[in-house]
Amino acid sequence: MRPPLKPQRVRDPVHNLIEFGTDLLEETMWRVIQTPPFQRLRRVRQLGFSELVYPGATHTRFAHSIGVFHTARRLMRIIERHIGDNRLQFQEAQARTALAAALVHDVGHGMFSHAFEEIGKALDLKMAHHEAVSDLLIRDSEIAEVLRVYGSGFADDVADVIKRGRPGNLYDAVVSSQFDADRLDYMRRDRLMSGVQNSGIDFEWLVANLEIGRVGAGVDETAVGEIDTFILGRKAHHAAETYVTALFQLYPTVYLHKTTRGAEKLFSAVMLRLVPLARDGDAARTGLADNHPLVRFAREPDDIARATALDDTVFWGALPMLAEAPDAGIALAAARLRERRLLKCVDVRARLGASLAGDRPADPAGWAALRRRVERLVIRVEQRLKEWNEANAGPFPRILVDKTARDPYKRFQDSKGPLNQIHIRGDGDRIHDMADHSAVVAALEPFHVFRAYIAGDDAGAREAVEKIMADEIDKAGKDDAEA
Amino acid sequence: MPKPDYQKAAEIVRDAGGRIVGRTRLQKVAYLLELAGFGEGFAFEYRHYGPYSENLTEAIVGADAFGLITEEERRTDWGGWYSTFDATPDAGRPEAGPRARFAAAAAAIDAVELELAATAAYLRAVEGCDDPWAETARRKPEKVGGGRLERAREAYRQLLALETARPLPPIA
């Protein structure tokens, strides 16, 4: 029998004091934190390369995960109160499962998190996907051993909540909803640590006005019943607007900052050459020893031990060797990252948009037509940049393209529903979608990125980007005139 | 020049009878086309609604921009929203072969049942799951009630009976 632990306390920049008591759940969570897979999160920064832009943004997934657990406990008290008010039976086991899931939800994140996931997609590396790694670590690692105190199936139940990614019951709302503990922690933590002064949320007021409500669920046009989840009380209207617009601001200012994304592109340039070389028996060209964790991962990418041996510090520590790699692409990209000699960014989408738009059309149809014109230009320019890269090889692609979009509210993937709608109680106790209740939220549009990154001294690539944009703008103008 | 992704996306709608109702249905029809060997290389991964392709989501926006499809968003009875995609004449003439028959049959399946069937197929094809229907039920407990899982299996069985370029996973 394990000796009982004393109460534990953590000081946190967002939440101040986070306490772990001596009841079995909190003691178990404290023991989970001490396991090697969880301690590894100390070496994975929450915002990856953002520190190159915001020097304070060095916080880790370790601190975030503890903050998520702390926030989840607060959210669970709202559920407990609702259950009590309605004279229902609080389901301790389901609550415990959701709280444990909140703590370990990020345990599978790889080095530089989302940047590494992109490498995984490009090279089909299963263990570069944090969901896959989290699932295995929770079910079968030191974490699972600690969780066994609640029975042999508990670790699987926790993994299932995360894998499902959608609420299976009311308790899951603390890990899967628009007000889940993950988002409520990262929005505050990322703002605080980066130092940006926009994107603040009225956390205490939001939490004070969170209620449980019953909302419809479905797939496309088909209903599948109703679920209980978090909704906001009517007094939280303005706090809800701020909550949505805060994310809208965090995308351009922090998460998709052009310099951060440029550094990620260099990281990708290194890894997209390193992995195939090491995998195909040419590790010597990477500049790394045969037993380096990056080389071992490249050779055995399906081995979870190889994946979890990687973290941000492993990559930063490898940079001096990578910068001297015989492979010119690896050497150049690594040296640039080490010395923060980042590539120059051309905001192609902004330039294309500016070429078409005068004043924004007042009517929705005119605005939609303009967006379609920009989209056509983007697709044509992207194709031509790709062709230019293929015809003009460099140590790594001379024009690195970054194209993505993020939607702060309406998510253009699969169906809209309880997971991606914010519901607020209106007059007569009717529950509304926030977009029907707020002109501000309704007007928010996705943040699109289409940028080209070029070395400052590569005049040829710069000229090519400018020419391709000018050609396509010219063609679009002629097409419009003919139409 | 290879066929652009936006054209491929529009042709899925076109070959499915000219209309696909719902983003989830579009994704699952496209995934099953890939599994059946009728696809054109959209990459899928597992998301909360089952197999999902970010490239396809981007491509359908492009198809709309080039006027190959139109998209209309509508409110559902249950409080959410769904999209209807219609192919325009610029998407080209629809195919009359086995791909179109397969796409139209998949697009005619109830959205929830199609999601369940595509998820089960993905679990077998990608994750090597021994009992993909049980695993689907475990991951989507809120969707399998009311006989939906059985109907999803039956719908998949009917897809299995169609001519395909590559055998679908034999899970029904």
Side-chain angles (χ1 to χ4, degrees):
Chain A
M1 181 149 174
R2 290 178 303 192
L5 292 172
K6 293 186 296 183
Q8 304 290 336
R9 294 185 289 193
V10 176
R11 298 308 293 265
D12 179 82
V14 176
H15 305 289
N16 194 353
L17 183 62
I18 297 178
E19 294 186 283
F20 287 79
T22 54
D23 64 80
L24 185 59
L25 176 66
E26 301 209 352
E27 189 187 300
T28 303
M29 294 302 101
W30 185 258
R31 289 188 198 276
V32 165
I33 291 169
Q34 310 317 313
T35 61
F38 201 96
Q39 289 291 315
R40 175 181 156 277
L41 297 180
R42 290 182 186 275
R43 302 187 297 276
V44 180
R45 283 182 182 160
Q46 175 78 4
L47 291 180
F49 292 102
S50 288
E51 182 266 333
L52 295 177
V53 179
Y54 300 107
T58 57
H59 55 301
T60 63
R61 296 226 167 239
F62 180 86
H64 163 64
S65 297
I66 293 175
V68 172
F69 175 70
H70 179 70
T71 307
R73 278 190 304 203
R74 286 195 63 179
L75 297 177
M76 196 60 80
R77 284 199 282 275
I78 296 170
I79 293 174
E80 196 168 0
R81 192 177 64 216
H82 167 81
I83 298 274
D85 289 348
N86 288 279
R87 299 174 184 275
L88 300 169
Q89 180 69 40
F90 186 70
Q91 303 294 326
E92 293 283 352
Q94 291 181 349
R96 205 161 48 223
T97 306
L99 289 173
L103 180 69
V104 298
H105 76 289
D106 264 358
V107 79
H109 268 283
M111 56 181 179
F112 306 108
S113 298
H114 301 293
F116 189 47
E117 304 243 337
E118 292 302 313
I119 311 288
K121 279 184 194 167
L123 299 177
D124 198 19
L125 307 171
K126 185 180 166 195
M127 289 298 143
H129 295 293
H130 79 273
E131 290 98 342
V133 178
S134 290
D135 195 59
L136 287 170
L137 287 176
I138 296 165
R139 291 179 201 275
D140 185 18
S141 76
E142 295 91 334
I143 291 174
E145 284 169 27
V146 174
L147 295 179
R148 206 163 288 142
V149 69
Y150 282 112
S152 58
F154 184 57
D156 285 338
D157 292 343
V158 173
D160 284 348
V161 167
I162 296 170
K163 191 168 206 166
R164 197 160 54 227
R166 15 180 328 104
N169 56 57
L170 170 60
Y171 305 85
D172 291 354
V174 305
V175 275
S176 310
S177 70
Q178 281 281 349
F179 292 101
D180 62 41
D182 181 31
R183 180 169 168 185
L184 284 168
D185 184 86
Y186 77 68
M187 287 184 68
R188 302 170 74 203
R189 190 174 300 277
D190 295 345
R191 173 179 183 261
L192 175 74
M193 301 305 287
S194 64
V196 295
Q197 298 300 308
N198 57 32
S199 354
I201 65 169
D202 197 347
F203 176 78
E204 292 298 339
W205 193 248
L206 281 172
V207 171
N209 285 281
L210 272 181
E211 303 173 5
I212 309 300
R214 178 154 282 211
V215 301
V219 178
D220 293 338
E221 79 282 20
T222 310
V224 289
E226 293 183 319
I227 64 163
D228 288 328
T229 190
F230 289 124
I231 64 163
L232 285 168
R234 56 173 63 83
K235 289 183 179 173
H237 176 98
H238 299 294
E241 279 185 344
T242 311
Y243 185 62
V244 179
T245 53
L247 197 56
F248 183 72
Q249 293 167 335
L250 280 170
Y251 284 132
T253 55
V254 178
Y255 302 136
L256 298 175
H257 190 284
K258 68 182 172 71
T259 308
T260 305
R261 297 285 284 189
E264 288 176 9
K265 285 284 156 194
L266 284 174
F267 167 72
S268 296
V270 171
M271 293 299 296
L272 289 173
R273 291 187 73 85
L274 186 155
V275 171
L277 282 172
R279 184 186 57 204
D280 300 339
D282 212 357
R285 290 190 56 74
T286 69
L288 300 179
D290 264 359
N291 64 353
H292 193 280
L294 287 167
V295 173
R296 284 180 159 168
F297 171 75
R299 286 180 179 154
E300 298 172 273
D302 290 341
D303 184 339
I304 188 168
R306 300 299 184 216
T308 53
L310 303 182
D311 55 49
D312 295 9
T313 66
V314 168
F315 184 80
W316 285 117
L319 277 182
M321 285 83 82
L322 293 169
E324 292 182 8
D327 181 86
I330 291 176
L332 184 58
R336 281 185 167 278
L337 260 183
R338 187 170 60 153
E339 295 155 14
R340 201 189 177 282
R341 284 188 294 115
L342 304 178
L343 303 173
K344 300 294 177 198
C345 175
V346 180
D347 191 336
V348 179
R349 190 175 182 103
R351 295 272 299 277
L352 297 176
S355 76
L356 293 180
D359 293 330
R360 174 177 169 151
D363 61 311
W367 178 235
L370 178 63
R371 277 193 313 215
R372 287 193 188 94
R373 289 169 70 198
V374 174
E375 195 59 41
R376 290 198 294 272
L377 266 176
V378 163
I379 290 170
R380 286 174 174 145
V381 169
E382 184 184 21
Q383 177 60 29
R384 286 197 56 193
L385 292 177
K386 188 175 167 204
E387 289 163 6
W388 190 91
N389 265 335
E390 285 165 2
N392 297 275
F396 55 82
R398 289 170 62 188
I399 303 170
L400 292 169
V401 172
D402 184 19
K403 185 163 178 267
T404 192
R406 294 286 188 284
D407 200 325
Y409 189 58
K410 295 177 193 169
R411 289 173 55 184
F412 288 105
Q413 61 178 57
D414 285 320
S415 300
K416 288 182 197 169
L419 259 185
N420 42 29
Q421 286 176 291
I422 290 176
H423 293 93
I424 189 162
R425 206 179 285 286
D427 294 335
D429 268 3
R430 203 173 141 221
I431 298 172
H432 301 266
D433 180 327
M434 205 38 214
D436 293 334
H437 212 62
S438 160
V440 172
V441 172
L444 289 177
E445 295 200 350
F447 177 64
H448 290 277
V449 163
F450 178 36
R451 300 164 176 151
Y453 290 91
I454 307 155
D457 56 359
D458 191 345
R462 174 87 200 196
E463 205 173 289
V465 172
E466 294 294 340
K467 181 170 183 327
I468 288 169
M469 285 194 298
D471 282 356
E472 293 301 331
I473 289 167
D474 187 47
K475 270 191 219 165
K478 286 176 183 160
D479 289 349
D480 288 344
E482 282 173 21
Chain B
M1 187 174 145
K3 191 189 289 181
D5 282 353
Y6 61 82
Q7 179 72 39
K8 295 177 191 172
E11 288 178 6
I12 292 170
V13 179
R14 181 196 72 187
D15 291 344
R19 166 175 285 192
I20 290 184
V21 178
R23 288 175 174 274
T24 303
R25 198 181 264 106
L26 170 68
Q27 288 281 341
K28 300 334 167 207
V29 169
Y31 178 66
L32 290 168
L33 282 171
E34 293 288 338
L35 267 191
F38 292 130
E40 296 192 81
F42 285 113
F44 284 81
E45 60 186 325
Y46 190 83
R47 293 273 182 97
H48 307 325
Y49 284 85
Y52 172 81
S53 168
E54 202 165 333
N55 291 348
L56 176 60
T57 296
E58 269 183 41
I60 205 73
V61 173
D64 179 56
F66 280 97
L68 307 185
I69 60 120
T70 58
E71 178 183 358
E72 191 182 338
E73 282 206 327
R74 297 176 188 179
R75 190 185 286 272
T76 65
D77 294 337
W78 55 268
W81 290 79
Y82 71 101
S83 293
T84 298
F85 302 99
D86 286 293
T88 71
D90 289 344
R93 290 176 52 139
E95 256 202 18
R99 173 185 141 102
R101 284 194 290 276
F102 186 92
I109 298 171
D110 169 85
V112 186
E113 289 157 24
L114 183 65
E115 178 188 325
L116 296 172
T119 300
Y122 179 94
L123 291 172
R124 167 61 64 82
V126 178
E127 299 189 12
C129 192
D130 288 336
D131 188 348
W133 297 102
E135 178 63 15
T136 299
R138 206 163 63 84
R139 294 191 190 188
K140 300 172 184 288
E142 76 284 11
K143 291 181 181 166
V144 296
R148 280 203 188 95
L149 194 66
E150 292 71 27
R151 290 199 295 276
R153 195 195 290 250
E154 178 54 31
Y156 188 82
R157 197 173 286 125
Q158 290 179 18
L159 292 179
L160 275 172
L162 295 174
E163 180 184 348
T164 56
R166 190 170 58 214
L168 287 173
I171 57 170

